[in-house]
């Protein structure tokens, strides 16, 4: 496995861990400033607003684990 492959796998593991532990700031920090999160409803959230968007979701809703 190449170093790039391992880096992508590590990023994915950290993304899933942050989601499963409902850590909005950690999840958002994994995105580039020009990255985007697409919500289940099709909403589009810019990289710098991802953590802010997820805080009330994690606070008010039981989210599925992955």
């Amino acid at each position: 496995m190449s170093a790039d492959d391992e880096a992508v796998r590590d990023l994915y593991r950290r993304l899933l861990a942050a989601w499963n532990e409902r850590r909005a700031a950690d999840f958002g920090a994994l995105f580039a400033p020009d990255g985007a999160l697409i919500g289940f409803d099709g909403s589009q959230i810019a990289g710098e607003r991802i953590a802010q968007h997820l805080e009330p979701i994690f606070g008010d809703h039981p989210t599925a684990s992955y």
Side-chain angles (χ1 to χ4, degrees):
M1 179 179 320
S2 74
D4 287 342
D5 289 338
E6 187 54 40
V8 170
R9 288 173 187 258
D10 181 59
L11 174 61
Y12 186 63
R13 283 190 289 268
R14 291 186 294 146
L15 191 72
L16 291 180
W19 179 273
N20 290 340
E21 295 170 18
R22 303 172 72 180
R23 296 186 326 253
D26 292 346
F27 189 91
L30 295 170
F31 286 78
D34 62 346
L37 173 75
I38 309 299
F40 74 94
D41 61 353
S43 58
Q44 298 179 23
I45 299 87
E48 68 275 358
R49 293 184 23 239
I50 291 172
Q52 179 183 10
H53 175 79
L54 288 177
E55 285 172 2
I57 293 170
F58 286 161
D60 298 334
H61 305 284
T63 52
S65 295
Y66 295 97

